[in-house]
Amino acid sequence: MEKVLQVQDLHVSFKTYGGEVKAVRGVTFDLHKGETLAIVGESGCGKSVTSQSIMKLIPNPPGKITNGKILFKEKGLVQLTDKEMRKIRGADISMIFQDPMTALNPTLKVGDQITEGIIQHKNISRDEARKKAVEMLQLVGIPSPESRMKQYPHQFSGGMRQRIVIAMSLVCEPEVLIADEPTTALDVTIQAQILDLFRDIQKKTGVSIILITHDLGVVAQVADRIAVMYAGKIVETGNRREIFYKAQHPYTKGLLNSVPRLDVESGDLKPIDGSPPDLFSPPHGCAFAARCQYTMEVCEKVYPFETKLSDEHLVECWLQDERAKKMKVNIR
Ligand SMILES: Nc1ncnc2c1ncn2[C@@H]1O[C@H](COP(=O)(O)OP(=O)(O)O)[C@@H](O)[C@H]1O
Ligand code: SF4
Ligand SMILES: [Mg+2]
């Protein structure tokens, strides 16, 4: 399968008064053409920092990519200058955020904003750009797009605004769309509509999507593959079935028990006890050890190796390692 984006051993740190925050600590994943990859994990685990790194939007200082490669179709992004990166942003890789207002200018009519976006990247006339803007609004399900072009962002509902932002992010036909918590600010019904829209757009355009969310429930319908992040690392990756029905990492299982699910009769929802480790001095071993029910001595000392359970299913937990099978589990 063609890899449109490859992230290899990414490390990102922030220098603060309190010390160095190691926000991302060796993240590796591929994004395949036309798929939706979800990155899921509790708040603060490094999801946004990972996506900002891909876009080269890490504020420097205090932040810095200290190691790793990011390849867009074989082309390395980490070393690019700001000018070179500006050509890629929006045109090849685009990004949308939780709050649509961060992407919209409240003082401009939405039609003008989308048209400007097109003209910036494409060498076409204003008339052609306007036509394309109307088409895009139609594609994302805005009724009577011609007349709504003349309205300002505040004249739209939250869900409609997010649709406009999605239209803006797609006008230059990017190959990769990164959506960072795109539905978190919306109510449940609208959330479902926006997720449907992603699926629909992917079918029509073939765009590859990275969907970032803290809510595993959100990805159940839309993700082809899921990467579960904890304390700056990806601890388990698999296709949707593998993560929802065959999860092996205790953290993934904990997340599954803490979200309501339509597909299984769920008993009481149980949030995971405890909180993630301090990223100023992350543990040497498994970062989940302090919260895990199955911690063994080795867990606290040595970070687990990756175990391959199938072509797509990878997990980093000592319980899956043949060599650790004989060890004693200290059930808490
Ligand atoms: N500009 C910054 N300065 C200092 N620390 C930051 C900055 N941005 C993010 N971090 C830290 O990096 C870690 C990961 O943050 P983030 O990627 O935003 O988490 P998530 O998106 O998964 O909720 C957090 O500990 C956060 O405090
Ligand atoms: S490596 Fe050990 S502490 Fe970490 S999740 Fe697996 S069993 Fe738990
Ligand atoms: Mg975030």
Side-chain angles (χ1 to χ4, degrees):
M1 224 178 303
E2 191 191 333
K3 295 169 182 173
V4 259
L5 189 76
Q6 291 169 266
V7 175
Q8 297 170 348
D9 199 27
L10 179 70
H11 288 252
V12 187
S13 290
F14 293 90
K15 286 230 162 70
T16 68
Y17 290 113
E20 188 180 333
V21 184
K22 298 176 190 79
V24 171
R25 306 186 297 132
V27 159
T28 297
F29 64 85
D30 294 332
L31 177 68
H32 302 145
K33 195 170 171 51
E35 77 167 344
T36 296
L37 170 72
I39 301 182
V40 184
E42 284 165 300
S43 168
C45 70
K47 304 179 302 292
S48 294
V49 171
T50 300
S51 54
Q52 285 158 7
S53 305
I54 298 169
M55 297 297 275
K56 252 175 116 68
L57 290 173
I58 298 285
N60 178 3
K64 193 169 188 271
I65 295 179
T66 54
N67 190 50
K69 284 189 187 155
I70 297 169
L71 305 175
F72 170 67
K73 305 215 281 188
E74 319 276 307
K75 182 190 175 99
L77 301 185
V78 175
Q79 312 310 332
L80 293 188
T81 61
D82 283 347
K83 194 175 164 207
E84 289 167 324
M85 195 62 208
R86 239 173 281 139
K87 280 196 202 136
I88 290 187
R89 246 182 252 138
D92 294 315
I93 308 177
S94 65
M95 185 156 172
I96 58 178
F97 303 90
Q98 179 173 336
D99 177 7
M101 284 316 273
T102 54
L104 294 169
N105 181 337
T107 68
L108 287 178
K109 292 175 184 158
V110 302
D112 293 340
Q113 297 190 48
I114 303 175
T115 309
E116 274 313 312
I118 302 173
I119 292 171
Q120 259 175 32
H121 284 285
K122 293 223 152 91
N123 189 16
I124 58 174
S125 72
R126 189 162 290 271
D127 274 354
E128 282 172 299
R130 283 199 78 82
K131 225 175 108 203
K132 181 129 183 80
V134 174
E135 278 170 28
M136 285 318 296
L137 289 178
Q138 206 142 28
L139 178 74
V140 299
I142 304 257
S144 15
E146 293 274 4
S147 57
R148 302 223 71 178
M149 290 272 283
K150 301 185 196 91
Q151 295 186 317
Y152 292 90
H154 75 264
Q155 292 171 290
F156 292 82
S157 66
M160 283 293 161
R161 268 183 227 148
Q162 197 59 299
R163 283 176 193 264
I164 293 166
V165 173
I166 294 170
M168 280 169 69
S169 71
L170 293 171
V171 281
C172 296
E173 292 154 20
E175 297 207 38
V176 176
L177 175 64
I178 303 174
D180 190 354
E181 308 265 6
T183 62
T184 304
L186 305 171
D187 73 46
V188 181
T189 328
I190 310 292
Q191 242 183 40
Q193 291 170 5
I194 297 287
L195 293 170
D196 276 347
L197 175 62
F198 280 122
R199 238 192 332 205
D200 198 33
I201 281 169
Q202 189 162 56
K203 234 182 265 155
K204 285 181 186 146
T205 66
V207 66
S208 311
I209 300 177
I210 298 180
L211 176 65
I212 292 179
T213 173
H214 67 279
D215 180 354
L216 198 48
V218 160
V219 307
Q221 307 301 321
V222 290
D224 297 304
R225 284 191 307 129
I226 299 167
V228 178
M229 256 186 107
Y230 187 74
K233 289 173 179 283
I234 291 178
V235 297
E236 183 162 15
T237 317
N239 62 36
R240 185 171 44 181
R241 284 199 69 75
E242 287 163 340
I243 296 297
F244 278 93
Y245 301 103
K246 295 183 187 168
Q248 294 303 328
H249 198 288
Y251 178 63
T252 312
K253 291 184 189 173
L255 280 183
L256 287 165
N257 288 334
S258 63
V259 295
R261 292 172 64 179
L262 295 173
D263 56 337
V264 287
E265 186 84 24
S266 50
D268 289 342
L269 298 179
K270 284 195 297 272
I272 308 171
D273 284 338
S275 47
D278 179 357
L279 292 175
F280 287 114
S281 52
H284 290 295
C286 171
F288 193 57
R291 303 170 79 183
C292 180
Q293 304 180 43
Y294 309 103
T295 314
M296 299 168 277
E297 220 174 290
V298 64
C299 301
E300 278 157 358
K301 302 214 166 82
V302 188
Y303 190 78
F305 292 90
E306 180 178 276
T307 304
K308 196 169 175 182
L309 301 171
S310 79
D311 277 351
E312 291 183 312
H313 195 179
L314 306 171
V315 61
E316 294 179 358
C317 168
W318 279 116
L319 291 174
Q320 301 308 315
D321 195 299
E322 285 300 325
R323 290 164 294 182
K325 289 260 160 81
K326 295 177 220 80
M327 284 182 212
K328 203 170 120 230
V329 175
N330 308 317
I331 297 271
R332 278 162 204 265

Coordinates of all heavy atoms in Angstrom, one line a residue, residues 205-258:
T205 N -12.8 12.0 -2.7 CA -11.5 12.7 -3.1 C -10.3 11.8 -2.9 O -9.2 12.1 -3.4 CB -11.3 13.9 -2.3 OG1 -11.1 13.5 -0.9 CG2 -12.4 14.9 -2.3
G206 N -10.5 10.7 -2.1 CA -9.3 9.8 -1.9 C -8.3 10.4 -0.9 O -7.2 9.8 -0.8
V207 N -8.6 11.5 -0.2 CA -7.7 12.1 0.7 C -7.4 11.1 1.9 O -8.3 10.3 2.3 CB -8.3 13.4 1.2 CG1 -9.5 13.2 2.1 CG2 -7.3 14.2 2.0
S208 N -6.2 11.1 2.3 CA -5.8 10.3 3.5 C -6.0 11.2 4.7 O -5.6 12.4 4.7 CB -4.3 9.9 3.4 OG -4.0 9.4 2.2
I209 N -6.6 10.6 5.8 CA -6.9 11.4 7.0 C -6.3 10.9 8.2 O -6.2 9.7 8.5 CB -8.5 11.4 7.2 CG1 -9.2 12.0 5.9 CG2 -8.9 12.2 8.4 CD1 -10.7 12.0 6.0
I210 N -5.7 11.9 9.0 CA -5.3 11.5 10.4 C -6.3 12.2 11.3 O -6.5 13.4 11.3 CB -3.9 12.1 10.7 CG1 -2.8 11.5 9.8 CG2 -3.6 11.8 12.2 CD1 -1.4 12.0 10.1
L211 N -7.1 11.4 12.0 CA -8.1 11.9 12.9 C -7.6 11.8 14.4 O -7.4 10.7 14.8 CB -9.4 11.1 12.7 CG -10.6 11.4 13.6 CD1 -11.1 12.8 13.3 CD2 -11.7 10.4 13.4
I212 N -7.5 12.9 15.0 CA -7.0 12.9 16.4 C -8.1 13.1 17.3 O -8.9 14.0 17.2 CB -5.9 14.0 16.5 CG1 -4.7 13.6 15.6 CG2 -5.5 14.3 17.9 CD1 -3.6 14.6 15.6
T213 N -8.2 12.3 18.4 CA -9.2 12.5 19.4 C -8.9 11.8 20.7 O -8.1 10.9 20.7 CB -10.6 11.9 18.8 OG1 -11.5 11.9 19.9 CG2 -10.4 10.4 18.4
H214 N -9.4 12.3 21.8 CA -9.2 11.7 23.1 C -10.3 10.7 23.3 O -10.3 10.0 24.3 CB -9.3 12.8 24.2 CG -10.7 13.4 24.3 ND1 -11.1 14.4 23.5 CD2 -11.7 13.1 25.1 CE1 -12.3 14.6 23.8 NE2 -12.7 13.9 24.8
D215 N -11.3 10.6 22.4 CA -12.5 9.8 22.6 C -12.6 8.6 21.6 O -12.8 8.8 20.4 CB -13.7 10.8 22.3 CG -15.0 10.1 22.5 OD1 -15.1 8.8 22.7 OD2 -16.1 10.8 22.4
L216 N -12.3 7.4 22.2 CA -12.2 6.2 21.3 C -13.6 6.0 20.7 O -13.7 5.4 19.6 CB -11.8 5.1 22.2 CG -11.3 3.8 21.6 CD1 -10.2 4.1 20.5 CD2 -10.7 2.9 22.7
G217 N -14.7 6.4 21.3 CA -16.0 6.2 20.8 C -16.1 6.9 19.4 O -16.8 6.4 18.5
V218 N -15.5 8.0 19.2 CA -15.6 8.8 18.0 C -15.0 8.0 16.8 O -15.5 8.1 15.7 CB -14.8 10.1 18.1 CG1 -14.5 10.7 16.8 CG2 -15.6 11.1 19.0
V219 N -14.0 7.2 17.0 CA -13.3 6.6 15.9 C -14.0 5.2 15.5 O -13.6 4.7 14.4 CB -11.8 6.4 16.1 CG1 -11.2 7.7 16.6 CG2 -11.6 5.3 17.2
A220 N -14.9 4.7 16.3 CA -15.4 3.4 16.0 C -16.0 3.3 14.6 O -15.9 2.2 14.0 CB -16.5 3.0 17.1
Q221 N -16.6 4.3 14.1 CA -17.3 4.2 12.8 C -16.4 4.6 11.7 O -16.7 4.3 10.5 CB -18.5 5.2 12.8 CG -19.5 5.0 13.9 CD -20.0 3.6 14.0 OE1 -20.3 3.0 12.9 NE2 -20.2 3.0 15.2
V222 N -15.4 5.4 11.9 CA -14.6 6.0 10.8 C -13.2 5.6 10.6 O -12.7 5.7 9.5 CB -14.7 7.5 10.8 CG1 -16.0 8.1 10.6 CG2 -14.1 8.1 12.2
A223 N -12.5 5.0 11.6 CA -11.1 4.8 11.5 C -10.9 3.4 10.8 O -11.5 2.5 11.1 CB -10.4 4.8 12.8
D224 N -9.9 3.4 9.8 CA -9.5 2.1 9.3 C -8.5 1.5 10.3 O -8.5 0.3 10.6 CB -8.8 2.3 7.9 CG -9.7 2.9 6.9 OD1 -10.8 2.3 6.7 OD2 -9.5 4.0 6.4
R225 N -7.5 2.3 10.7 CA -6.5 1.9 11.7 C -6.5 2.9 12.9 O -6.9 4.0 12.7 CB -5.1 1.8 11.1 CG -5.0 0.6 10.1 CD -3.6 0.4 9.7 NE -3.0 1.6 9.2 CZ -1.8 2.1 9.6 NH1 -1.1 1.6 10.5 NH2 -1.4 3.2 9.0
I226 N -6.1 2.4 14.0 CA -6.0 3.2 15.2 C -4.7 3.1 15.9 O -4.1 2.0 16.0 CB -7.1 2.7 16.2 CG1 -8.5 2.9 15.5 CG2 -7.1 3.5 17.5 CD1 -9.6 2.2 16.3
A227 N -4.1 4.2 16.3 CA -2.8 4.2 17.0 C -3.2 4.8 18.4 O -3.7 5.9 18.5 CB -1.8 5.1 16.3
V228 N -2.8 4.0 19.4 CA -3.2 4.5 20.8 C -1.9 5.1 21.4 O -0.8 4.4 21.5 CB -3.7 3.3 21.7 CG1 -3.9 3.7 23.1 CG2 -4.9 2.7 21.0
M229 N -2.0 6.3 21.9 CA -0.8 7.0 22.4 C -0.9 7.1 23.9 O -2.0 7.4 24.5 CB -0.8 8.4 21.8 CG 0.3 8.6 20.8 SD 0.5 10.3 20.3 CE 2.0 10.7 21.0
Y230 N 0.2 7.0 24.6 CA 0.3 7.2 26.0 C 1.6 7.8 26.4 O 2.7 7.3 26.0 CB 0.1 5.9 26.8 CG 0.0 6.1 28.3 CD1 -1.2 6.6 28.8 CD2 1.1 5.8 29.1 CE1 -1.3 6.8 30.1 CE2 1.0 6.0 30.5 CZ -0.2 6.6 31.0 OH -0.3 6.8 32.3
A231 N 1.6 8.9 27.1 CA 2.8 9.6 27.5 C 3.9 9.7 26.5 O 5.0 9.4 26.7 CB 3.3 8.9 28.8
G232 N 3.4 10.2 25.3 CA 4.4 10.6 24.2 C 4.9 9.4 23.4 O 5.8 9.6 22.5
K233 N 4.2 8.2 23.5 CA 4.6 7.1 22.7 C 3.3 6.4 22.2 O 2.3 6.5 22.8 CB 5.3 6.0 23.5 CG 6.8 6.4 23.9 CD 7.3 5.3 24.9 CE 8.7 5.6 25.3 NZ 9.7 5.3 24.3
I234 N 3.5 5.7 21.0 CA 2.4 4.9 20.6 C 2.5 3.5 21.2 O 3.6 2.9 21.0 CB 2.3 4.8 19.0 CG1 2.0 6.2 18.5 CG2 1.4 3.7 18.6 CD1 2.0 6.3 17.0
V235 N 1.6 3.1 22.0 CA 1.7 1.8 22.7 C 1.0 0.6 22.0 O 1.3 -0.5 22.3 CB 1.2 1.9 24.2 CG1 2.1 2.9 24.9 CG2 -0.3 2.3 24.3
E236 N 0.0 0.9 21.2 CA -0.6 -0.2 20.4 C -1.2 0.4 19.1 O -1.7 1.5 19.1 CB -1.7 -0.8 21.2 CG -2.4 -2.0 20.5 CD -3.2 -2.9 21.5 OE1 -3.5 -2.5 22.7 OE2 -3.6 -4.0 21.1
T237 N -1.0 -0.3 18.0 CA -1.6 0.0 16.7 C -2.3 -1.2 16.2 O -1.8 -2.3 16.3 CB -0.5 0.4 15.7 OG1 0.5 1.2 16.3 CG2 -1.1 1.2 14.5
G238 N -3.4 -1.0 15.5 CA -4.0 -2.1 14.8 C -5.2 -1.6 14.0 O -5.5 -0.4 14.0
N239 N -5.8 -2.5 13.2 CA -6.9 -2.0 12.4 C -8.1 -1.9 13.4 O -8.0 -2.3 14.6 CB -7.2 -2.9 11.2 CG -7.5 -4.3 11.6 OD1 -8.2 -4.6 12.6 ND2 -7.0 -5.3 10.8
R240 N -9.2 -1.4 12.9 CA -10.3 -1.1 13.8 C -10.8 -2.3 14.6 O -11.0 -2.3 15.8 CB -11.4 -0.5 13.0 CG -12.6 -0.1 13.8 CD -13.6 0.7 13.0 NE -13.8 0.0 11.7 CZ -14.6 0.5 10.8 NH1 -15.2 1.6 11.0 NH2 -14.8 -0.1 9.6
R241 N -10.9 -3.5 13.9 CA -11.3 -4.7 14.6 C -10.3 -5.1 15.7 O -10.7 -5.5 16.8 CB -11.4 -5.9 13.6 CG -12.6 -5.8 12.7 CD -12.9 -7.2 12.1 NE -13.3 -8.2 13.1 CZ -14.6 -8.2 13.6 NH1 -15.5 -7.3 13.2 NH2 -14.9 -9.1 14.5
E242 N -9.1 -5.0 15.3 CA -8.0 -5.5 16.3 C -8.1 -4.6 17.6 O -7.9 -5.1 18.7 CB -6.6 -5.4 15.6 CG -6.5 -6.6 14.6 CD -5.3 -6.4 13.7 OE1 -4.9 -5.2 13.5 OE2 -4.9 -7.4 13.1
I243 N -8.3 -3.3 17.4 CA -8.3 -2.5 18.6 C -9.6 -2.6 19.4 O -9.6 -2.7 20.6 CB -8.0 -1.0 18.2 CG1 -6.6 -0.8 17.6 CG2 -8.3 -0.1 19.4 CD1 -5.5 -1.1 18.5
F244 N -10.7 -2.7 18.7 CA -12.0 -2.8 19.4 C -12.3 -4.2 20.0 O -12.9 -4.3 21.0 CB -13.1 -2.3 18.6 CG -13.2 -0.8 18.6 CD1 -12.6 0.0 17.6 CD2 -13.9 -0.2 19.6 CE1 -12.7 1.3 17.7 CE2 -14.0 1.2 19.7 CZ -13.4 2.0 18.7
Y245 N -11.8 -5.3 19.3 CA -12.1 -6.6 19.8 C -10.9 -7.4 20.3 O -11.1 -8.4 20.9 CB -12.8 -7.4 18.7 CG -14.1 -6.7 18.3 CD1 -14.2 -6.0 17.1 CD2 -15.2 -6.7 19.1 CE1 -15.3 -5.3 16.7 CE2 -16.4 -6.1 18.7 CZ -16.4 -5.4 17.5 OH -17.6 -4.7 17.2
K246 N -9.7 -7.0 19.9 CA -8.5 -7.8 20.3 C -7.5 -7.0 21.0 O -6.3 -7.4 20.9 CB -8.0 -8.6 19.1 CG -8.9 -9.6 18.5 CD -8.1 -10.2 17.3 CE -9.0 -11.1 16.5 NZ -8.3 -11.5 15.3
A247 N -7.8 -5.9 21.6 CA -6.8 -5.0 22.2 C -6.0 -5.8 23.2 O -6.6 -6.7 24.0 CB -7.5 -3.9 22.9
Q248 N -4.7 -5.6 23.3 CA -3.8 -6.3 24.2 C -3.2 -5.4 25.2 O -2.8 -5.9 26.3 CB -2.8 -7.1 23.4 CG -3.3 -8.2 22.6 CD -4.1 -9.2 23.3 OE1 -3.8 -9.5 24.5 NE2 -5.1 -9.8 22.7
H249 N -3.0 -4.2 24.9 CA -2.3 -3.3 25.9 C -3.3 -2.9 27.0 O -4.4 -2.5 26.7 CB -1.8 -2.1 25.2 CG -0.7 -1.3 26.0 ND1 -1.0 -0.6 27.1 CD2 0.6 -1.3 25.8 CE1 0.1 -0.2 27.6 NE2 1.1 -0.5 26.8
P250 N -2.9 -3.1 28.3 CA -3.8 -2.7 29.4 C -4.3 -1.3 29.3 O -5.4 -1.0 29.7 CB -2.9 -2.9 30.6 CG -1.9 -3.9 30.2 CD -1.6 -3.7 28.7
Y251 N -3.5 -0.4 28.7 CA -4.0 1.0 28.5 C -5.2 1.1 27.5 O -6.2 1.7 27.8 CB -2.9 1.9 28.1 CG -3.4 3.4 27.9 CD1 -3.9 4.1 29.0 CD2 -3.3 4.0 26.7 CE1 -4.4 5.4 28.8 CE2 -3.8 5.3 26.5 CZ -4.4 5.9 27.6 OH -4.8 7.2 27.4
T252 N -5.0 0.4 26.4 CA -6.1 0.3 25.4 C -7.3 -0.3 26.0 O -8.4 0.3 25.8 CB -5.7 -0.5 24.2 OG1 -4.4 -0.1 23.7 CG2 -6.6 -0.3 23.0
K253 N -7.2 -1.3 26.8 CA -8.3 -2.0 27.4 C -9.0 -1.0 28.3 O -10.2 -1.0 28.4 CB -7.9 -3.2 28.1 CG -7.4 -4.4 27.2 CD -7.1 -5.6 28.0 CE -6.5 -6.7 27.1 NZ -6.0 -7.8 27.9
G254 N -8.2 -0.3 29.1 CA -8.7 0.7 30.0 C -9.5 1.8 29.2 O -10.6 2.2 29.7
L255 N -9.0 2.2 28.1 CA -9.7 3.2 27.3 C -11.1 2.7 26.8 O -12.1 3.3 26.9 CB -8.9 3.6 26.1 CG -7.8 4.7 26.2 CD1 -7.2 4.9 24.8 CD2 -8.3 6.0 26.8
L256 N -11.0 1.4 26.4 CA -12.3 0.8 25.9 C -13.3 0.7 27.0 O -14.5 0.8 26.7 CB -12.0 -0.6 25.3 CG -11.2 -0.7 24.0 CD1 -10.7 -2.1 23.7 CD2 -12.2 -0.3 22.9
N257 N -12.9 0.4 28.2 CA -13.8 0.3 29.3 C -14.4 1.6 29.8 O -15.3 1.7 30.6 CB -13.1 -0.4 30.5 CG -12.9 -1.8 30.3 OD1 -13.7 -2.5 29.5 ND2 -11.9 -2.4 30.9
S258 N -13.7 2.7 29.3 CA -14.2 4.0 29.8 C -15.0 4.8 28.8 O -15.5 5.9 29.0 CB -12.9 4.9 30.2 OG -12.2 5.1 29.0

